[in-house]
Every structure is written in structure tokens, then in C-alpha cells.
Amino acid sequence: MGALKLSVLDLVPKIGEASFEEALQEAASLARHAEQWGYTRYWAAEHHDLVNLSCAAPEVLLAHIGARTERIRIGSGAVLLPHYSPLKVAENFRMLAALYPGRVDLGIGRAPGGSAHASMALSGNYLQHVAEMPARVRALIELLEDRYAYEDVPVAAKPVPRIQPELWMLGTNNKSAGFAAENGTGYVFGQFMSDRDGAEVLAAYREGFKPSALLERPRSIAAIGVICAATEQEALALSRRSALPEVERPGAEASEPQPQATRLITGSPKQVKSKLLELADSFGCDEFLVTTPVMSYAERLESYRLLASVCL
């Protein structure tokens, strides 16, 4: 595997005493710095009524960030499709794609993104909507391909941008990988919140991939937790205050037991780069979507800077 591509997955946390307004300002700051340092994408996650997470509407935040950046791709990680009309999702992201040509990614997922009551308040019977997910995905694809009809009457998602948003499916297991492969979309494996073997899941996606009008060949990204600091000791100290419990030390002795699935990589820049290169070879992908669960905006930003300094 050659050079790495790195992208940002931002859960848009409200850290410490920060206000929600400040949390959103920090999201824009992270995107601007990521662009400056050479990251490929900035993606924002969607959550509803969860403690200290600030982004319930990625498309709104992305419109704000798109206006404050110039080159970095902007996208959702992910829009939770069971809650929404495929037409409205297609309209939102085609609007973004028309505003920021060649820069927009539409990542979709099926998680509720909040508590049962928040999900019901948002869209009613969530389990019924999950059962409709295959039909909703098909409808979304048809809308992006301008071949959708409702009761045999053509319906278009407008505006129609010159360059369509890229469609990605996010998931944490073989089922989601198979779903992405069957529909011919890009696939993002959420290693940072999965105990599954990423190499196995991503191989299954590539093996089952069916070319589509949106994508001729399989494209995959691994979403991984990373905490990078000047020294391994500093990184481990930061990780003890992180939101991801499972830590693998790149410099650990070979005799130490290691978790099968790496959720969070910690270490110095060289240690983290070495581990990412190993994972790239194992996973068969050259891009990582990095989330950094550090409980300080300044230290989180420094982690992304240090990582970029050795990888980009």
C-alpha cells in the first residue's frame, strides 16, 4: 500500500464548559485547519439529544463550513436515512453540491443516532423505517441518477448539480458491507466502534461489489480512532480521558495480548503512522477517516496536526 489519505470525522463534541455555539465554531476551525494540513475530507456526524454532541443537522453545518473552506471535501458521516425522505436528502445534498462543486460527499447510515424517545419524536416508528431501508436506499440512488418516479410519475431532486455528490454507505459489520456492495456505493467501515475484523469486512465488500452508474469500482475507507501526541506517554495520558475505551499501543511488546479489532490507536506521530500503514495493508484501503476523542479542543487539533505532519 502506498501513500495514505487522511480525512476527518467530527462528532462535533461540546467539551468542558464550552457552549454549543463554541462547539460549532471549533468544528469550523478543525475543518479549516484540516484543509490547510492536507486532509482529503471533513465529515460531520449526526446525533439527536445526546449529551455534549452538537450536530443534529450535518447538512446545515456543512453549508457553513463549505463557505469557510476552499478545497477540502465536505460530507456527512452519516445522514441517518431511516429518519428521512430520500427525496429531501437528495435535495439537501444536491444543493450543497451545487454550492460547492466537486466537494460534496453524502454518507448514509441506519443507526437511530439517539435514544428511543428521541428517535420516535424525530420520525415515529424507527424500527419500521429500518425495515424500509433497502427501498429508501434504492430511491435515493434513483434520485441521484435522475430516474426516480413516484406512482409512475417522474420526480426530480433539484437543483441538479454539474457534479453529483459522492454516495457512501457507513457500517460496522459484514451486513452493511454487503448492502453497500449490492448497491454499488462506496463503503466506510466504522472500525472505531466495531469489534469486527476490518480486513474481513472490507474484503467482503470488495468481493461482492456490483458496479453501478454511481461507481464503477469498489471504494472503501476505514474510520479509526487516533490520538497522536509528541510522545507515546503523552498520547496514552490523553487516551485515559478519551471516550473510546479500547487502546492499542503501536510500540507494545509482541508478547502482550492485542485486541483483534483496533478501535483507538495512540502514540507518537511515527508510531501512529506505522500502525496506519500496517492497517492499510491489512484492510486493502489507502484512506482513513480519523476521529480523535480528546477532551480538549487544542489537544485534539494538535493531534490532527501531528498526524498530518508525518502522513501528508
Side-chain angles (χ1 to χ4, degrees):
M1 188 64 61
L4 293 174
K5 293 181 183 177
L6 297 179
S7 296
V8 172
L9 174 60
D10 191 0
L11 304 188
V12 197
K14 188 175 84 69
I15 297 174
E17 298 302 314
S19 66
F20 283 111
E21 290 84 353
E22 290 166 334
L24 294 170
Q25 291 167 8
E26 292 290 346
S29 175
L30 175 56
R32 288 194 300 269
H33 281 92
E35 178 175 78
Q36 176 185 340
W37 296 330
Y39 284 82
T40 300
R41 313 170 198 271
Y42 169 90
W43 283 13
E46 175 185 336
H47 293 98
H48 300 279
D49 193 28
L50 291 184
V51 176
N52 293 332
L53 294 180
S54 309
C55 186
E59 60 275 16
V60 177
L61 179 59
L62 296 176
H64 174 79
I65 286 175
R68 285 155 180 78
T69 52
E70 296 179 358
R71 300 175 308 279
I72 194 167
R73 296 190 67 89
I74 54 175
S76 53
V79 165
L80 305 178
L81 191 58
H83 290 309
Y84 307 115
S85 154
L87 174 60
K88 189 57 179 174
V89 172
E91 289 174 337
N92 285 342
F93 278 80
R94 278 188 156 186
M95 174 70 82
L96 288 169
L99 290 168
Y100 309 112
R103 295 178 55 196
V104 174
D105 300 324
L106 170 50
I108 59 173
R110 53 167 279 174
S115 68
H117 285 85
S119 295
M120 289 187 288
L122 180 63
S123 64
N125 189 334
Y126 172 75
L127 292 179
Q128 177 183 334
H129 297 158
V130 167
E132 297 166 356
M133 184 73 171
R136 291 184 183 220
V137 171
R138 286 194 298 272
L140 180 60
I141 290 173
E142 289 170 1
L143 285 158
L144 295 176
E145 295 177 350
D146 292 308
R147 56 183 183 86
Y148 177 77
Y150 188 86
E151 294 184 346
D152 297 325
V153 176
V155 175
K158 295 183 178 179
V160 180
R162 180 171 49 84
I163 303 174
Q164 295 297 323
E166 288 187 2
L167 182 61
W168 295 82
M169 196 167 297
L170 284 70
T172 58
N173 52 43
N174 288 67
K175 183 175 181 179
S176 60
F179 197 41
E182 177 70 23
N183 285 282
T185 73
Y187 180 62
V188 180
F189 175 63
Q191 182 71 83
F192 76 99
M193 55 182 183
S194 177
D195 291 322
R196 300 300 303 272
D197 181 353
E200 174 190 331
V201 174
L202 290 168
Y205 161 71
R206 289 190 296 271
E207 291 167 6
F209 182 83
K210 295 181 179 179
S212 68
L214 297 175
L215 192 62
E216 292 182 0
R217 298 180 182 85
R219 294 182 66 191
S220 59
I221 302 173
I224 191 82
V226 172
I227 295 178
C228 188
T231 67
E232 180 183 16
Q233 291 71 29
E234 291 177 59
L236 288 171
L238 290 173
S239 76
R240 285 191 282 270
R241 306 195 304 272
S242 77
L244 296 178
E246 191 169 284
V247 178
E248 181 170 356
R249 297 173 54 184
E253 295 297 328
S255 59
E256 286 188 38
Q258 299 292 338
Q260 181 182 15
T262 303
R263 290 186 175 189
L264 179 63
I265 300 171
T266 68
S268 68
K270 288 184 178 179
Q271 287 176 319
V272 173
K273 179 181 180 181
S274 176
K275 184 58 184 177
L276 288 177
L277 287 170
E278 289 178 17
L279 287 179
D281 282 334
S282 173
F283 288 0
C285 68
D286 64 357
E287 184 173 350
F288 290 95
L289 193 62
V290 175
T291 186
T292 295
V294 172
M295 298 297 102
S296 156
Y297 291 120
E299 289 168 327
R300 180 179 72 153
L301 202 61
E302 179 66 358
S303 176
Y304 279 109
R305 186 192 72 80
L306 289 170
L307 183 59
S309 72
V310 294
C311 292
L312 301 177

